[in-house]
Amino acid sequence: EAEVAQSPRYKITEKSQAVAFWCDPISGHATLYWYRQILGQGPELLVQFQDESVVDDSQLPKDRFSAERLKGVDSTLKIQPAELGDSAMYLCASSLDMGDSQETQYFGPGTRLLVL
Amino acid sequence: GEDVEQSLFLSVREGDSSVINCTYTDSSSTYLYWYKQEPGAGLQLLTYIFSNMDMKQDQRLTVLLNKKDKHLSLRIADTQTGDSAIYFCAETGLRTDKLIFGTGTRLQVFP
């Protein structure tokens, strides 16, 4: 069964360092999402891609976070510099297409980030 | 703005039914979802319901939607220890696929 892949699964870093997370969506899925899930809360959308284009990054802290999906397939989320408050689970999801709210989003296992 | 609320914790005995509740504020919600998250894992879609429906059943899962009160519930029949997890309800609005999640309900099943 096709799955969303993410790496690394766990990352420990010191504040002010740079970190990067990688996501490979299900093959053929045009839409890719990055969510942040703080412990004890539900996931919140950071950025949404349709193919290689960003369609929603209104909740992305752009002073330190960046995301790209250069070839419209896999994606990288970067934080530079990391802050203590960035400690969270970063979830990637993909769906077949955008705009139809019935399209199921499939989630990867997540990357758990701890900033010391 | 949109807001989705859930109770934080539910404890049930194995074999009993579990009912997890959710309230939302966005009256334009078109689809409402239930996701399951096991410890340290991503989210698994359990089921969803379209806003013009009031009930959907899928094996042990029953979803009830009261659109007037903006209330959604998930009933798990014959709850098993493997059902222990955090359950999130989520909604999407009109002409958007952006998911708005609740805070999650931790279900604990004891023997």
Side-chain angles (χ1 to χ4, degrees), chain B residues 9-109:
Chain B
F9 190 77
L10 177 65
S11 180
V12 299
R13 187 179 299 277
E14 190 174 19
D16 288 351
S17 292
S18 308
V19 179
I20 303 171
N21 295 301
C22 171
T23 58
Y24 60 97
T25 58
D26 186 359
S27 58
S28 68
S29 294
T30 51
Y31 286 92
L32 296 121
Y33 300 80
W34 284 104
Y35 281 86
K36 176 183 180 182
Q37 187 176 37
E38 297 186 17
L43 276 72
Q44 172 195 356
L45 178 67
L46 291 177
T47 187
Y48 65 90
I49 188 167
F50 187 48
S51 58
N52 69 353
M53 299 169 64
D54 52 20
M55 188 185 87
K56 181 178 180 181
Q57 188 155 1
D58 183 2
Q59 299 181 337
R60 293 191 298 123
L61 305 179
T62 303
V63 179
L64 295 178
L65 174 61
N66 181 329
K67 197 172 181 182
K68 173 177 170 289
D69 294 337
K70 300 190 185 69
H71 182 267
L72 181 74
S73 68
L74 173 70
R75 179 177 180 269
I76 306 173
D78 187 25
T79 312
Q80 303 297 306
T81 55
D83 295 323
S84 295
I86 300 176
Y87 291 79
F88 291 94
C89 67
E91 60 163 357
T92 55
L94 195 62
R95 287 185 294 276
T96 176
D97 56 352
K98 177 179 176 179
L99 282 169
I100 305 296
F101 284 90
T103 51
T105 299
R106 180 179 295 274
L107 174 65
Q108 183 174 2
V109 183

Side-chain angles (χ1 to χ4, degrees), chain A residues 31-34 45-50 53-60 62 67 98, chain B residues 96-100:
Chain A
T31 310
L32 185 147
Y33 313 79
W34 282 102
L45 181 69
L46 290 175
V47 61
Q48 178 180 346
F49 289 90
Q50 174 72 9
S53 300
V54 173
V55 296
D56 186 351
D57 63 356
S58 56
Q59 300 303 309
L60 189 71
K62 299 181 190 61
M98 188 196 78
Chain B
T96 176
D97 56 352
K98 177 179 176 179
L99 282 169
I100 305 296

